[in-house]
Amino acid sequence: MATTLFAVGAVLAFTAAPALALQPGEDAAWAAEIENDTPLRSADTISEARDLNNGNLMQVWRGYGNTNIYIAINHSVPLQLPSTTTYAAPRIVWTNAGFFVFHTGSDGYIYYRRIPVPANADNVRGNWTRVPNNARTEDTLSPSVTRLNGNQMYLTWGDAVGLNQWGMYFDGTTWAAPQTLPYAQSYTANSVTFNPNWNQLVSIHRGTDGQIYWQRQTYGSSQWTNPARLGTLNTPAAGTPAVALTDNGSGEVAVWLSGGAVDPQTGSSPILLTQIFANGAWSGAWSVATGNVPTSHNVWLTAIQNRIYLINTFYTGYVYWKRSFQQ
């Protein structure tokens, strides 16, 4: 399938009218997310990470109708993580040191802990560790975290009292000083991902104008590019966009709409998708995710080799997924 690419500098002039065409490799139908033979229900976005050594899958979410955090390994019986309360969706990452769950506490500070595999009620007891250097956001906003190389991670979050977006590097032992992402201003938070083959960190955020912006960092340089806009959405985006990159450097961004696109009966809106590339190129167009599964929550993208999967929490709390990209 031929794709026309737009350089970052050319993105600003493009006006995107979402089309009905599928993304490369996108499935038309959605499937229900199942844990222990039961449809999963969540109050917010779920996220997942996979152990690249043995394929174990761990998913994490906030409980439906409560402020608890739950995990499931390989779609088994869900397990509640103790000693925490959150009003935002938790996040998970895998490194060579294992799985780590991050969440925003009710005080706005960001906390994390390692989750052993197999996990049970006994070995997940204990306190959470607060991320240092005053890593704090609004108590309803989620952080974002991605694996770099080995045991390294990169964490991002939105400011607790302002519009700045922050990032912080973890070398496997110590957290570095946080840095602001240049000119990244948002009422919500950003999402971050990393492609080791291209050595690129990519951050996506919704600007104060409701449009979607992205910026990149060549890992090791500590310098982010200035934000570039991914076209112009005719209806403002809502919440925090999602991003994922495949092994070959192709990637996808997903957002949900607000304003006039909202269904007054359910508060739901359609999901938009677009293709990006680790080298800074963009496909130049947005499309509407197929299937009658709108959302009133942020969505999640997860990459496995050359495929990307889209996970969506329906307004009823039930969770659905589908392949949204393959190339």
Side-chain angles (χ1 to χ4, degrees), residues 11-326:
V11 166
L12 295 175
F14 186 84
T15 299
L20 296 179
L22 297 176
Q23 290 293 311
E26 181 184 355
D27 290 336
W30 295 77
E33 189 71 48
I34 305 295
E35 309 291 356
N36 192 36
D37 298 323
T38 302
L40 174 61
R41 206 174 189 188
S42 173
D44 209 324
T45 318
I46 79 165
S47 68
E48 64 180 35
R50 190 176 298 271
D51 185 329
L52 299 182
N53 293 326
N54 60 33
N56 280 330
L57 174 71
M58 188 177 294
Q59 296 172 303
V60 63
W61 65 92
R62 183 163 63 100
Y64 186 77
N66 59 57
T67 57
N68 300 328
I69 295 177
Y70 299 86
I71 63 166
I73 301 172
N74 298 327
H75 302 288
S76 61
V77 178
L79 176 67
Q80 180 183 338
L81 299 183
S83 308
T84 187
T85 295
T86 189
Y87 307 123
R91 297 288 185 250
I92 191 168
V93 65
W94 176 84
T95 75
N96 287 356
F99 290 100
F100 292 84
V101 171
F102 288 74
H103 81 278
T104 302
S106 56
D107 57 2
Y109 287 103
I110 299 171
Y111 297 84
Y112 72 108
R113 63 174 302 165
R114 182 180 178 274
I115 306 297
V117 178
N120 56 58
D122 292 325
N123 64 19
V124 298
R125 291 178 180 174
N127 295 324
W128 294 70
T129 300
R130 197 175 89 180
V131 176
N133 301 327
N134 201 37
R136 191 179 187 187
T137 185
E138 295 180 29
D139 61 7
T140 57
L141 294 182
S142 301
S144 181
V145 61
T146 189
R147 174 182 184 263
L148 298 173
N149 296 315
N151 299 342
Q152 303 165 344
M153 297 183 279
Y154 195 83
L155 175 73
T156 64
W157 67 94
D159 202 283
V161 295
L163 302 177
N164 289 336
Q165 302 296 301
W166 293 86
M168 188 158 56
Y169 167 72
F170 180 70
D171 67 4
T173 303
T174 304
W175 290 96
Q179 64 173 162
T180 56
L181 277 64
Y183 304 105
Q185 300 281 285
S186 180
Y187 297 116
T188 59
N190 63 335
S191 293
V192 67
T193 192
F194 177 66
N195 182 290
N197 296 329
W198 289 75
N199 209 35
Q200 290 290 302
L201 270 166
V202 171
S203 173
I204 304 285
H205 73 275
R206 176 174 66 96
T208 55
D209 58 358
Q211 303 300 317
I212 303 302
Y213 295 82
W214 72 318
Q215 49 200 135
R216 298 176 299 115
Q217 180 189 124
T218 299
Y219 175 55
S221 72
S222 75
Q223 299 297 314
W224 287 94
T225 62
N226 291 339
R229 196 174 71 200
L230 294 175
T232 301
L233 300 176
N234 296 330
T235 300
T240 298
V243 62
L245 291 169
T246 63
D247 290 351
N248 62 23
S250 298
E252 192 170 58
V253 176
V255 301
W256 64 289
L257 297 180
S258 63
V262 172
D263 180 340
Q265 301 300 316
T266 65
S268 298
S269 299
I271 300 168
L272 300 186
L273 303 171
T274 193
Q275 185 180 5
I276 60 170
F277 301 85
N279 64 2
W282 173 49
S283 65
W286 292 86
S287 65
V288 178
T290 59
N292 187 24
V293 186
T295 190
S296 54
H297 302 285
N298 297 325
V299 295
W300 178 262
L301 292 173
T302 185
I304 304 173
Q305 297 176 340
N306 68 334
R307 307 180 304 280
I308 295 177
Y309 293 89
L310 171 63
I311 305 177
N312 170 31
T313 302
F314 201 41
Y315 73 93
T316 58
Y318 290 105
V319 180
Y320 297 86
W321 66 273
K322 73 169 184 172
R323 183 183 59 184
S324 58
F325 180 86
Q326 182 170 341

